[in-house]
Amino acid sequence: MENRKKVAFYTLGCKLNFSETSTIARNLQDEGFDRVDFEEVADMYVINTCSVTENADKQFKQVVRKAMKLNDKAFVAAVGCYAQLKPEELASVDGVDLVLGATEKFKLADYINDLSKNDFGEVHSCEIAEADFYVGSFSIGDRTRAFLKVQDGCDYKCTYCTIPLARGISRSDELENVLKNASEISKQNIKEIVLTGVNIGDYGKGEFGNKKHEHTFLELVQALDTVEGIERLRISSIEPNLLKNETIEFVSKSRTFVPHFHIPLQSGSNDILKLMKRRYQREVYTERVNKIREVMPHACIGVDVIVGFPGETDEHFLETYHFLNEMDISYLHVFTYSERDNTEAAAMEGVVPANVRAKRSKMLRSLSVKKRRAFYESQLGTNRTVLFESENKEGYIHGFTENYVKVKTPWNPELVNTLYDINLTKIDEDGSVRMDFVTSMV
């Protein structure tokens, strides 16, 4: 028996990165590698990078140091968004041997020879205009739910964002292939699939390498709803201008799609939305939330918001704060604006001081806690279905209801990856919800 090499992966960033890491790992396993945990000694460490947050840059260096501590002779490869945007910067980090950009990362096996360390990080990264073909991916084996990538890249020109520079133009997987992947996932006894992409509402564009729309996002959702063996489908983040009423109505009656939407707002001020070059005004956002509430009063609605964008005055911020406070939403993901090279916003006037950004961020995070609490309280006494996760946290097992309420009950290994009908009883000190079992489902 030949001595198989060991490879470990570390993923920074979004759900899309997790699905791609999983696919790269399966490719390497086919090439004769055994995947091990990142905490273990391996012959090669692969770090899938992110360019969205400030911390992702610092985290990268920490992760490389961690790998080098485990095995200072290991081969270290950096792939993904940050590797596409700043390949030379990553290549110069001590210990890094190989940097692969947007199109090369799925061909990792082609770039590794004998895994001997390089004196300098070797860079292979295409011009981003060449990232025009689609590579499908999905994650399996990491957790109770799987991430299924349906789309990549973005044609939007938001002034703060580097994703189009890191991932290229909007392009989609063929519908047939998405359904094949979904079916494959369902055979692994995975109960929930989360659809991911950079701009998933744009699904259909570039399905055949051109801009022709063969299918729409609604058709994708309708087709996935018929796949045998899947208990739950969840839509990850979707732009408000691309979330159509027909899709909301379909989800409300769907067999598998759950009542949970995550819709980026970014600002509650139309002036700031304009500076950001977002493709909607706040009125559109209100319409979407009202429509969801009309057909799914119990739905969970999450919101992305950026604070401290250049030109955001106290008045603009308060406009955002009051807009969110008055709206019937369930939680916020708050991002503190940070400058990114080669973006329009980085050169804009009206820079907001760091301490003001931090204060605004804190205010919105407090609002998020209040919103989540109010949403959980509105769900007490109702019957829901929970999918239990696999971790034992201080003697408890946690899970999420279809409408994304986090519940807990004393640890029982038999509950892992099972679905149960439950009744939500009270909110615990840690913010999660206690429950009573109603019936066994699966």
Side-chain angles (χ1 to χ4, degrees), residues 52-53 160 237-240 262-270 272-273 276 278 280 282 285 301-309 312 316-325 327 329-338 357-369 371:
V52 173
T53 62
Y160 52 81
S237 192
I238 181 164
E239 294 281 305
H262 193 92
I263 315 166
L265 168 69
Q266 311 310 18
S267 175
S269 158
N270 283 340
I272 300 297
L273 287 173
M276 290 176 165
R278 300 292 285 157
Y280 53 87
R282 66 188 231 159
Y285 201 91
I301 303 173
V303 184
D304 284 344
V305 61
I306 295 171
V307 296
F309 188 80
E312 184 186 65
H316 289 133
F317 171 70
L318 286 173
E319 222 182 317
T320 297
Y321 186 91
H322 293 311
F323 182 66
L324 290 164
N325 191 30
M327 208 180 314
I329 52 154
S330 317
Y331 64 89
L332 305 171
H333 280 173
V334 184
F335 298 90
T336 305
Y337 171 75
S338 63
R357 293 183 210 186
K359 185 177 142 200
R360 289 175 186 172
S361 175
K362 198 173 169 185
M363 280 175 73
L364 282 184
R365 289 203 169 100
S366 301
L367 179 63
S368 180
V369 170
K371 287 285 184 186

Side-chain angles (χ1 to χ4, degrees), residues 43 81 173 198 295 324 364 421:
D43 301 290
C81 291
D173 202 353
V198 173
V295 294
L324 290 164
L364 282 184
D421 267 351

Side-chain angles (χ1 to χ4, degrees), residues 25-42:
R26 285 195 296 277
N27 294 347
L28 284 179
Q29 281 164 310
D30 294 343
E31 298 285 339
F33 282 86
D34 286 330
R35 183 176 184 176
V36 297
D37 196 71
F38 201 85
E39 313 297 325
E40 293 178 43
V41 175

Side-chain angles (χ1 to χ4, degrees), residues 20 30 113 169 195 200 232 272 289 313 317 407 409 429 441:
E20 292 182 342
D30 294 343
N113 302 320
I169 59 170
L195 302 185
I200 64 173
R232 278 185 179 182
I272 300 297
V289 171
T313 61
F317 171 70
V407 304
T409 197
E429 288 107 57
M441 283 208 35

